[in-house]
Amino acid sequence: QGANVLVDVTNAPSFADDAVMAFFRSSTEHLVSAAKAAGVSHFVALSIVGIDRIEGSGYMRAKRAQEQLIEASGLPYTLVRATQFF
């Protein structure tokens, strides 16, 4: 409550295709719902450069699904597509 911006830097505990998709769908739906209920005015999410061009990875598909849920939320948003680092 009282936050203007939500910054989502969540990451899945599993990289298995079904598990990672379930994680990002569920967590993003919960965050979008909570942001709306709290009156958050902007949703920021960390994503990955080139995510929309990499379809062979279940993780990348799940991150793109996360982006799409945010895009469809009706909230003003920013997707920060950073390069991966280890």
Side-chain angles (χ1 to χ4, degrees):
Q1 255 339 2
N4 293 322
V5 178
L6 182 147
V7 179
D8 180 1
V9 293
T10 57
N11 200 6
S14 170
F15 289 84
D17 288 358
D18 291 340
V20 73
M21 183 63 79
F23 172 84
F24 280 117
R25 283 198 173 141
S26 177
S27 65
T28 303
E29 288 169 354
H30 283 95
L31 288 172
V32 164
S33 178
K36 287 180 177 180
V40 168
S41 61
H42 201 88
F43 193 117
V44 178
L46 181 62
S47 194
I48 303 168
V49 169
I51 199 88
D52 50 345
R53 293 178 280 158
I54 303 170
E55 296 179 9
S57 163
Y59 185 84
M60 301 299 187
R61 286 191 303 275
K63 286 295 288 181
R64 183 63 188 126
Q66 176 192 34
E67 289 185 352
Q68 290 168 332
L69 287 168
I70 295 165
E71 291 165 352
S73 72
L75 292 168
Y77 66 90
T78 299
L79 301 173
V80 180
R81 288 186 173 178
T83 57
Q84 289 181 299
F85 51 91
F86 300 92

